[in-house]
Amino acid sequence: MDKFLVVDFETTGNRAKEGDQIIQIGAVRIENKQITHQFSSLVNPGIKIPPFIQQLTGITDELVDDAPYIEELLPQLLPLLEDVVFVGHNVFFDLGFLQQALSDCGYLPFAGQVIDTVELSRLLLPEQSGYRLSDLSFEFEIEHENPHQADSDALATAQIFLALLDKLDHLPLPVIQRLSALTSGFSTDVSELIRFLERSRFAKATLYEEDQWDYYRGFVLQDRKNQLQCSEPSKQSWSTYEEFITSLDLLLPQLMPDFELRVAQREMMVEIHRAFEDSSHLLIEAGTGTGKSLAYLVPSLYWAQVTGEKVVVSTHTIQLQEQLFLRDLPLLRRLFGEATSIALIKGRNNYLCLRKFENSFQDSLDNYDIQLSKGQILTWLTHTQTGDVEEINLPSGGRTFLHQVQSDANSCLNRACPWFSRCYYHTARQTAQDSDVIITNHSLLLTDLQTEQRILPAYRYAVIDEAHHFEDVASHLLGHSLSSIEVDSMIQQIVSDKGQGICDKLDRERAQSNWSEGLFDSLSKARIAAWETRSAAKDLFSKLYQWGMSKGHESADTNRPAARIQPESWNKEASKTIFPSLQNVLDWIRVLGEALSNIYNGIQGELEISYSLRGILSDLGGLIKECAKQKELLSKILQEQDVENVYWMELEARTTRRGVYLYMVPIQVAPLLKESFFTQKNSVVLTSATLSVNRSFSYSIKKLGLENSRVQALHYPSPFDYNQQTLLCVPSDLPSIKTDSDQQFLDGVARSLKDLAMVTGGRMLVLFTSYQMLRQVYDRLKESIDLKGYTILGHNIDSSSRTKLTKQFKSTANCLLLGTNSFWEGVDIPGEALSCLVIVRLPFWPPNHPVAQARGDFIKTGKGNPFMEMSVPQAVIRFKQGFGRLVRTKKDRGIVVILDKRIIEARYGTYFLRSLPEIPLHYRPFPELLSMVGQWLGKG
């Protein structure tokens, strides 16, 4: 396999068998890893080219009028196809058009081997975020001047293919051998390519760069000797902190050209250090652009270096956690010295368990997605330092496989595991133990509190970034949840239709060992109990689903109906139908747990434990614990409710699997946070762009449990000039949410968005508070004749991935992006890609959500006002996050349009207005605002 023809066609559509035709050919022949010939031509399709294709490709009817027909060009293309492997990017598209053209012109079909560069790149570039031609061209620094032109696309694909061959050629031979077997079920002839390479490598008897890899138990890992041998952290000797801060004016610009230490940054650095010195807590609201990450990292590193105390920095999202570790901290390490010890640690499930991954190769009944996932992980292991599975872009079906091979406490063999010395999770924990500053996330930090600090090293100082989420994360982690999906997954791990359950593995071990009759009987009982548990659980969750659908209301944040489980009414309604089914499930889970325990104890008492059996026993022990946990949670949530928690269920009503999700969380989180966290720490700094409401921190202080604590609160405004950078508009003539019908309001929203888009040229992010409203407006916009040249992107319609939609929005002209929930924060679209932000409604959480109801009821018991004490502050903080999506840099300019007149007309509207920077608000009829928007954009 050393001759390849890379082919790309531009066509009138994507249906070769239904009359679509080729309009351009691009072909590149490769021999012995060299480009030897290029061929390209326009093609007269004999039919009109659709306007969309003309716009996409730049190929018009006039351009192809004098071009040769396909039957004239095939004689030139056929010699290039002799004795080659056909290569394409999404190859079956191009191959389908080639075969149709050959058939139409009376030629035999192409019968050679085929390679898809998408499939090959997924295998060899597992960390790549996207596999489009443009993504891969960027990855390999390939100039791709004319996308959607066949000659340019074919040449770019050829260069990508050569780069992939080089990458494949430099993989260690044991990896090549494993990939050869794994790829036999791939869509194209990737396995033949790898076998060809394997044979040539054997002939040469060469291994590349052997020293950079760690060969162990038939696998190849990136050599991590330097990482595993942690050096002693160095302690720098500094003068006073004030002199150190002053020196940053000279030091930081040397590390970051054009850097200027901002006034707010300097003040934050001073105040955070003072809080550490005084052993007090500190809340800091820092507006967009203040540079708060640097402002808290510098004093944290300084404090750790000078005092020897560990400082934990926690973020809400893993993305920000990685950003701090990969972007900000390397610069600061140069400031504080290369020996500065900084660690990043995530939750255990983020790490690959090498023992489980090794054991997975005993399973031979893998589908395509699992084969691809295994191949991706094999490739990734040769260069990952962390073992963090978030680094890998697995296929959709690979997420299930990932669940089977991720690290978890229940099945860990610890030091008895042959992979312990190379374990990614234990390495991360050890690195954290030896480090000055530990970067983690809220979820892991709070989980550590629950496990009595068995994950993170002991620490007395912490920085909580994105602190407006801290209470919500605590609420979730201090509560419990269980879903029908989890129950079914547990059963699948015990008995599987594909023969990969723990009972199936035990059966294979039994065939090689001398099992007693009692042990064999326990295995049979476990199988029966597992299937009976599955059947009983299916019956229970079906009844729960029916009850939830009759009682529930759609939740804006999850797009799922939610129904509160209130003990008094629940016990009456569930006693006749649900409770008998629940008891049946609990009885069978108990029988299942007992049977699995008998197997576990019997094997340990009767058999010699081999390595493979030890691994199975460890997984079996984990499943025994999972049985007990699920039995306890089902009973706790559905039978044993108390007054300190709120209980509810959510339903997956938009898919065929009809998932049921059960939850319980504390009604009051603040006392738990105060007792278990804040009173245990010397100093905790909490920072965010949104902590104050109506220019007061009292709401955040109360909900975090910091009342009557030694706490200070500071506000640093954004350095941006919002008067010059932002135009704030509220239409006065739109239908009212309070007085007009929903349909009138939705019609008005769709009309306004259409008119705005035509003035702004798209470039609009539209924030909704419910998926239902988003869908209805999306449909109206799609039907609008005036927006035919515009692209409408809807969250959970065009894609459920926020990252994918944001990326597409940035790269698409005349685009409107409709988002909800997650789009209110964490979306960063600087520059001209975003010129208009529309907030459709003030972001109140739905009052009928069970948690809102329960916490509202609790406030009422204290004679409080739930709306003003909870609903309004929550909405204001979310509103501030949404407003912050528009201006991200000093150069950004744009319009904010709020379509909810309550911000002007309701008495609580001032809470929202006072949360914004001091900029003029234009409240006037929409036609006047459109004229103003057009003039304002024209000035830019």
Side-chain angles (χ1 to χ4, degrees):
M1 287 182 96
D2 55 0
K3 297 177 183 177
F4 306 91
L5 187 68
V6 182
V7 176
D8 186 87
F9 295 136
E10 300 302 331
T11 64
T12 60
N14 57 14
R15 298 181 180 89
K17 293 184 178 180
E18 296 179 25
D20 282 322
Q21 299 295 319
I22 297 168
I23 58 175
Q24 190 183 27
I25 297 173
V28 179
R29 187 175 170 100
I30 296 172
E31 295 186 26
N32 298 316
K33 299 183 180 178
Q34 298 291 324
I35 293 176
T36 60
H37 189 84
Q38 295 185 56
F39 171 79
S40 66
S41 176
L42 291 169
V43 183
N44 190 328
I47 60 174
K48 292 291 184 183
I49 302 174
F52 169 73
I53 299 296
Q54 293 189 44
Q55 182 182 1
L56 180 69
T57 64
I59 301 172
T60 63
D61 291 323
E62 291 75 22
L63 277 176
V64 298
D65 273 347
D66 296 327
Y69 290 94
I70 190 67
E71 53 264 33
E72 299 174 60
L73 291 168
L74 282 178
Q76 300 175 55
L77 187 62
L78 286 172
L80 298 176
L81 284 165
E82 290 180 5
D83 195 28
V84 297
V85 178
F86 188 91
V87 178
H89 201 70
N90 288 312
V91 70
F92 291 112
F93 174 87
D94 301 290
L95 183 63
F97 274 93
L98 174 67
Q99 302 289 39
Q100 189 64 43
L102 290 172
S103 175
D104 290 344
C105 296
Y107 294 100
L108 292 173
F110 175 79
Q113 293 172 321
V114 176
I115 297 287
D116 183 12
T117 49
V118 175
E119 188 169 61
L120 187 60
S121 60
R122 289 194 73 107
L123 180 68
L124 300 179
L125 304 172
E127 293 160 282
Q128 182 74 18
S129 60
Y131 297 95
R132 296 179 304 177
L133 206 54
S134 57
D135 298 325
L136 297 173
S137 296
F138 180 81
E139 167 69 19
F140 289 117
E141 298 181 354
I142 292 168
E143 287 190 20
H144 186 202
E145 296 179 353
N146 299 303
H148 304 295
Q149 290 271 326
D151 50 354
S152 179
D153 287 355
L155 182 58
T157 302
Q159 292 171 319
I160 289 167
F161 181 61
L162 287 170
L164 292 171
L165 288 180
D166 184 64
K167 211 163 188 65
L168 186 60
D169 200 35
H170 282 78
L171 283 175
L173 186 56
V175 176
I176 294 291
Q177 291 170 314
R178 285 191 179 273
L179 289 178
S180 175
L182 271 177
T183 54
S184 59
F186 273 27
S187 305
T188 59
D189 295 300
V190 170
S191 61
E192 294 300 320
L193 175 65
I194 295 175
R195 286 193 192 98
F196 175 81
L197 177 61
E198 182 184 357
R199 290 192 296 269
S200 66
R201 290 281 287 279
F202 267 121
K204 295 176 185 176
T206 57
L207 287 172
Y208 291 90
E209 302 177 59
E210 188 171 349
D211 290 343
Q212 71 171 313
W213 290 311
D214 175 16
Y215 293 82
Y216 188 68
R217 297 181 66 84
F219 291 82
V220 185
L221 314 180
Q222 173 71 28
D223 193 343
R224 292 179 288 142
K225 289 189 179 71
N226 292 334
Q227 182 189 358
L228 294 170
Q229 296 171 356
C230 300
S231 60
E232 284 293 319
S234 68
K235 299 291 178 276
Q236 301 280 349
S237 60
W238 302 96
S239 53
T240 66
Y241 185 69
E242 289 74 16
E243 291 174 358
F244 168 70
I245 293 296
T246 302
S247 72
L248 293 179
D249 287 324
L250 294 174
L251 294 173
L252 286 174
Q254 294 175 18
L255 303 177
M256 295 175 275
D258 302 322
F259 177 83
E260 182 181 348
L261 192 62
R262 302 161 199 166
V263 174
Q265 277 181 312
R266 183 191 299 274
E267 291 182 7
M268 282 180 67
M269 290 175 183
V270 171
E271 294 297 338
I272 290 170
H273 183 263
R274 182 176 293 139
F276 286 169
E277 274 192 323
D278 295 345
S279 293
S280 61
H281 302 315
L282 176 63
L283 270 70
I284 299 177
E285 181 174 77
T288 307
T290 52
K292 62 183 172 66
S293 297
L294 192 66
Y296 64 66
L297 288 173
V298 167
S300 297
L301 284 162
Y302 180 93
W303 185 258
Q305 289 270 309
V306 171
T307 66
E309 293 276 0
K310 295 186 185 298
V311 179
V312 169
V313 176
S314 178
T315 72
H316 174 53
T317 61
I318 286 176
Q319 288 78 10
L320 180 56
Q321 186 183 351
E322 291 175 341
Q323 178 182 304
L324 294 178
F325 190 75
L326 299 174
R327 188 194 70 183
D328 298 322
L329 287 169
L331 288 168
L332 293 175
R333 186 179 270 114
R334 290 164 61 194
L335 175 66
F336 286 92
E338 288 297 324
T340 301
S341 51
I342 305 163
L344 180 146
I345 185 166
K346 301 180 182 179
R348 184 164 192 157
N349 287 351
N350 286 279
Y351 298 94
L352 178 75
C353 173
L354 289 164
R355 176 187 66 80
K356 291 182 179 180
F357 183 61
E358 179 189 15
N359 290 343
S360 74
F361 281 82
Q362 297 175 11
D363 299 327
S364 58
L365 301 174
D366 296 337
N367 60 30
Y368 173 80
D369 276 3
I370 292 179
Q371 285 181 316
L372 175 57
S373 299
K374 286 183 179 180
Q376 287 180 300
I377 293 173
L378 282 172
T379 306
W380 169 70
L381 286 175
T382 63
H383 52 83
T384 182
Q385 289 280 349
T386 66
D388 178 1
V389 294
E390 287 293 322
E391 295 173 358
I392 320 174
N393 184 359
L394 294 174
S396 56
R399 308 309 296 183
T400 303
F401 172 69
L402 188 59
H403 180 72
Q404 298 169 15
V405 295
Q406 64 192 18
S407 179
D408 73 278
N410 286 341
S411 63
C412 183
L413 292 175
N414 293 301
R415 295 188 179 277
C417 178
W419 288 97
F420 183 79
S421 63
R422 291 159 174 83
C423 176
Y424 293 113
Y425 172 70
H426 285 289
T427 298
R429 279 194 64 197
Q430 186 57 53
T431 304
Q433 292 288 337
D434 297 335
S435 295
D436 297 324
V437 174
I438 298 102
I439 310 297
T440 188
N441 54 71
H442 301 346
S443 180
L444 181 60
L445 182 145
L446 290 160
T447 300
D448 182 57
L449 295 181
Q450 285 187 302
T451 58
E452 299 176 348
Q453 289 199 306
R454 291 202 300 263
I455 304 172
L456 299 175
Y459 65 96
R460 298 189 296 171
Y461 300 87
V463 176
I464 310 297
D465 198 355
E466 301 176 293
H468 60 285
H469 282 296
F470 198 58
E471 184 217 21
D472 291 335
V473 177
S475 178
H476 174 72
L477 287 171
L478 294 171
H480 298 285
S481 64
L482 182 66
S483 72
S484 56
I485 314 300
E486 290 174 88
V487 174
D488 192 61
S489 175
M490 180 190 72
I491 301 300
Q492 290 271 18
Q493 292 176 61
I494 297 171
V495 287
S496 167
D497 296 329
K498 296 181 178 180
Q500 295 175 358
I502 199 82
C503 286
D504 305 302
K505 294 175 182 178
L506 288 167
D507 241 346
R508 290 192 282 270
E509 286 288 330
R510 181 181 63 81
Q512 302 171 25
S513 308
N514 186 22
W515 281 35
S516 68
E517 187 175 333
L519 200 50
F520 176 73
D521 186 50
S522 293
L523 180 58
S524 298
K525 286 181 179 177
R527 279 189 181 280
I528 294 169
W531 291 119
E532 291 291 348
T533 301
R534 189 179 194 183
S535 175
K538 185 176 180 181
D539 175 63
L540 170 65
F541 285 113
S542 175
K543 289 176 179 176
L544 289 173
Y545 185 90
Q546 292 170 13
W547 182 87
M549 286 299 289
S550 68
K551 303 288 184 180
H553 304 275
E554 183 170 301
S555 171
D557 59 323
T558 62
N559 195 27
R560 300 194 298 226
R564 186 177 174 187
I565 300 172
Q566 294 180 280
E568 289 186 13
S569 58
W570 167 254
N571 288 333
K572 292 177 183 176
E573 295 167 3
S575 59
K576 292 183 180 179
T577 56
I578 294 174
F579 283 173
S581 293
L582 172 62
Q583 192 58 52
N584 192 30
V585 174
L586 296 176
D587 289 343
W588 276 115
I589 291 183
R590 176 184 54 77
V591 172
L592 176 59
E594 290 173 354
L596 294 177
S597 296
N598 289 339
I599 297 170
Y600 186 90
N601 296 328
I603 289 175
Q604 288 195 317
E606 297 178 18
L607 304 178
E608 182 178 337
I609 310 298
S610 63
Y611 163 67
S612 63
L613 189 53
R614 185 182 294 120
I616 293 172
L617 273 179
S618 178
D619 294 340
L620 178 58
L623 286 167
I624 292 169
K625 292 177 183 176
E626 185 64 20
C627 276
K629 174 189 166 187
Q630 292 194 5
K631 179 174 177 290
E632 179 186 6
L633 286 179
L634 281 170
S635 181
K636 187 176 287 187
I637 297 173
L638 297 176
Q639 272 186 328
E640 303 169 4
Q641 298 95 352
D642 58 47
V643 295
E644 295 178 352
N645 293 284
V646 54
Y647 304 83
W648 80 99
M649 69 176 69
E650 291 178 7
L651 310 173
E652 199 171 5
R654 301 188 187 281
T655 66
T656 54
R657 67 181 180 179
R658 294 191 167 191
V660 177
Y661 301 80
L662 304 173
Y663 298 95
M664 61 173 285
V665 300
I667 293 175
Q668 279 191 289
V669 179
L672 299 173
L673 278 177
K674 182 174 184 176
E675 179 184 350
S676 63
F677 185 58
F678 291 110
T679 59
Q680 306 298 320
K681 305 302 173 190
N682 285 24
S683 178
V684 179
V685 176
L686 301 109
T687 184
S688 166
T690 53
L691 286 175
S692 68
V693 176
N694 201 26
R695 301 177 186 174
S696 166
F697 287 87
S698 58
Y699 171 71
S700 291
I701 288 173
K702 184 176 182 179
K703 77 170 187 172
L704 289 167
L706 286 168
E707 287 182 305
N708 304 318
S709 297
R710 193 176 176 192
V711 60
Q712 184 183 8
L714 300 170
H715 170 74
Y716 296 102
S718 170
F720 299 150
D721 186 352
Y722 283 95
N723 271 311
Q724 295 297 316
Q725 293 180 255
T726 307
L727 183 70
L728 179 60
C729 305
V730 180
S732 60
D733 54 351
L734 236 66
S736 169
I737 292 171
K738 294 179 69 175
T739 58
D740 295 304
S741 70
D742 288 346
Q743 293 306 311
Q744 286 175 312
F745 179 72
L746 291 170
D747 289 339
V749 169
R751 253 191 332 268
S752 301
L753 294 179
K754 180 205 69 174
D755 294 341
L756 264 175
M758 297 178 73
V759 173
T760 63
R763 300 183 298 171
M764 290 170 55
L765 172 62
V766 187
L767 298 178
F768 291 82
T769 55
S770 83
Y771 286 99
Q772 183 179 9
M773 184 179 290
L774 184 153
R775 286 193 303 270
Q776 292 173 322
V777 172
Y778 177 92
D779 291 339
R780 285 167 167 81
L781 293 176
K782 279 285 191 179
E783 294 167 1
S784 172
I785 298 173
D786 295 325
L787 293 180
K788 287 301 180 185
Y790 289 74
T791 301
I792 318 294
L793 298 176
H795 187 209
N796 274 357
I797 299 174
D798 295 289
S799 173
S800 60
S801 166
R802 185 180 72 175
T803 302
K804 183 178 178 180
L805 286 170
T806 304
K807 190 174 182 180
Q808 190 175 349
F809 174 73
K810 289 179 181 178
S811 61
T812 306
N814 296 26
C815 190
L816 287 76
L817 174 56
L818 280 53
T820 185
N821 193 22
S822 63
F823 280 86
W824 283 80
E825 60 181 290
V827 174
D828 196 4
I829 311 174
E832 294 186 358
L834 176 60
S835 295
C836 182
L837 173 76
V838 180
I839 295 175
V840 175
R841 293 185 67 165
L842 298 179
F844 289 101
W845 289 111
N848 55 11
H849 190 280
V851 177
Q853 285 180 339
R855 290 181 176 165
D857 291 344
F858 179 81
I859 291 171
K860 287 177 185 177
T861 61
K863 308 299 183 184
N865 182 333
F867 183 73
M868 296 304 296
E869 293 180 30
M870 179 183 69
S871 300
V872 169
Q874 282 179 341
V876 168
I877 285 176
R878 200 169 180 221
F879 176 76
K880 290 166 70 175
Q881 286 287 340
F883 180 87
R885 295 314 94 211
L886 183 66
V887 176
R888 309 298 298 169
T889 72
K890 287 184 177 181
K891 296 180 180 179
D892 291 346
R893 292 179 83 249
I895 305 104
V896 177
V897 181
I898 302 168
L899 301 181
D900 190 340
K901 291 191 293 186
R902 290 179 298 177
I903 198 169
I904 301 292
E905 297 174 350
R907 62 186 179 88
Y908 55 79
T910 55
Y911 282 71
F912 292 87
L913 292 176
R914 293 185 68 188
S915 72
L916 299 178
E918 293 186 3
I919 51 177
L921 184 149
H922 302 280
Y923 180 59
R924 57 188 69 184
F926 197 69
E928 292 182 31
L929 291 179
L930 283 178
S931 176
M932 183 181 292
V933 166
Q935 292 175 8
W936 195 84
L937 285 175
K939 292 177 184 177

